[in-house]
Amino acid sequence: TRQLAAFTRAGIPIVDSINLLAATTKNKRMKEVLVDMARAVNGGLTLPQAAKLNSKVFPSYYVAILDASDRSGDLTAAFETLSSYLERDLASVRAVKSALYYPIILIVLAIATVIVLCAIVLPRFSVLFASLGIQLPLATRSLMNFALFVSTWWWLLSLLVVGAISSFIYFYRREDGRFFIDRLFLRIPIFGSVVELIALERFTRVLGSLANAGVPLPDALLLSASATGNKKYEKAIKSTREGVLQGAGLAEPLVATKTFPAETVQIIRVGEQSGQLVSQLGHAAEYY
């Protein structure tokens, strides 16, 4: 995206720009996508239409911004807007991942330690204590019995874990299941606030980028809803869109969802009243 912005700014035709990228990219999958796009544009499709054919690579908001700029004739601005968003999104994702690596590693090590103790270490101690013929405390006996159970029925426990994970994946792929779990994630201490911040940052960033590109607000809301990654926020944004279509503005329908924090609504209300909605959405995204 950054290279296409540079190519189009230099006046290189878009098909030639895509072919240049295809010739230099090291990613085999991306090369195939670029060649396919160049072929589609040569065949008479517009660039947004060619990008839409590869929807697994280009998100819906990406195509919408291209489509809006295609109508205005300023592709360079569209690519600069997209590259700026993608860089910021990548930076925020990396920040969240780096913050979660340490606790995840600790949890994995803790689980591995408990498994080794229950399956290998404690059963050997139980044999030793049995040979001594002494009465162990209740807590110790309970721990030994638990270790014996794990070492004897490990295969059953493994099947139960696999079954639980499979059931969770199946439930999460359903629309109602995804909504229930996403709403549950938001209620988890610490982790829930991180999920909320990610959803709010993506909503304000994508909505601001789409509005800046000239995408109509109802369409921009629909596209930004899918970008949040959380079904509760997605449902709330779609509800907000209905209010916008009915002429209620943007801030009041957001309040009606009872999902968005007060500061988000206030920032958007100020932008709406002052005619600076795009810049206010950018400030909100930076804040989150």
Side-chain angles (χ1 to χ4, degrees):
T1 305
R2 179 67 74 192
Q3 285 179 286
L4 284 174
F7 289 158
T8 53
R9 193 184 305 112
I12 301 173
I14 189 63
V15 176
D16 295 340
S17 300
I18 296 172
N19 283 326
L20 277 170
L21 280 180
T24 55
T25 185
K26 295 179 180 178
N27 187 289
K28 185 179 178 182
R29 169 66 177 145
M30 196 62 188
K31 184 187 289 289
E32 292 173 354
V33 168
L34 291 169
V35 169
D36 182 61
M37 284 181 67
R39 189 184 301 115
V41 174
N42 270 327
L45 294 182
T46 63
L47 182 62
Q49 289 171 338
K52 196 172 183 178
L53 293 175
N54 296 280
S55 57
K56 290 185 178 180
V57 176
F58 300 101
S60 54
Y61 68 82
Y62 195 107
V63 177
I65 290 178
L66 284 183
D67 189 48
S69 64
D70 193 48
R71 291 195 296 268
S72 66
D74 192 0
L75 272 177
T76 302
F79 287 131
E80 287 175 346
T81 298
L82 285 166
S83 59
S84 176
Y85 168 76
L86 290 169
E87 285 171 356
R88 291 175 184 274
D89 188 57
L90 184 61
S92 63
V93 168
R94 283 175 174 169
V96 171
K97 284 183 177 179
S98 63
L100 293 177
Y101 280 147
Y102 182 65
I104 287 173
I105 290 172
L106 286 182
I107 290 170
V108 171
L109 288 176
I111 293 172
T113 302
V114 171
I115 291 172
V116 170
L117 284 172
C118 291
I120 300 173
V121 179
L122 291 176
R124 296 182 180 180
F125 274 98
S126 64
V127 174
L128 172 64
F129 289 138
S131 65
L132 295 176
I134 58 175
Q135 181 68 23
L136 296 172
L138 177 61
T140 308
R141 292 201 307 273
S142 300
L143 184 61
M144 291 298 179
N145 290 332
F146 177 72
L148 180 63
F149 174 80
V150 171
S151 61
T152 304
W153 298 98
W154 62 268
W155 58 272
L156 179 60
L157 293 173
S158 300
L159 288 175
L160 289 173
V161 169
V162 171
I165 293 172
S166 301
S167 300
F168 176 83
I169 293 172
Y170 171 75
F171 185 62
Y172 192 68
R173 285 179 176 175
R174 290 171 46 183
E175 189 72 20
D176 56 341
R178 176 77 184 272
F179 179 80
F180 175 81
I181 293 171
D182 282 355
R183 187 173 58 179
L184 188 64
F185 279 162
L186 290 168
R187 296 178 180 177
I188 300 174
I190 302 175
F191 179 77
S193 63
V194 174
V195 173
E196 182 179 45
L197 288 174
I198 292 171
L200 290 169
E201 193 271 341
R202 286 187 170 178
F203 165 63
T204 50
R205 182 83 66 195
V206 173
L207 185 62
S209 299
L210 290 167
N212 187 49
V215 178
L217 188 57
D219 296 338
L221 283 168
L222 192 62
L223 293 165
S224 60
S226 60
T228 60
N230 186 280
K231 284 294 180 182
K232 182 180 179 182
Y233 273 93
E234 184 176 333
K235 183 179 179 180
I237 295 166
K238 287 180 179 178
S239 174
T240 300
R241 178 178 180 269
E242 296 302 317
V244 170
L245 289 171
Q246 292 170 11
L250 180 58
E252 294 311 316
L254 284 174
V255 174
T257 64
K258 298 181 180 179
T259 300
F260 292 88
E263 72 270 9
T264 308
V265 177
Q266 186 59 31
I267 289 171
I268 290 174
R269 180 180 282 115
V270 170
E272 198 175 16
Q273 292 172 351
S274 63
Q276 300 292 322
L277 182 60
V278 172
S279 62
Q280 286 298 101
L281 286 168
H283 293 325
E286 288 296 327
Y287 171 73
Y288 290 122

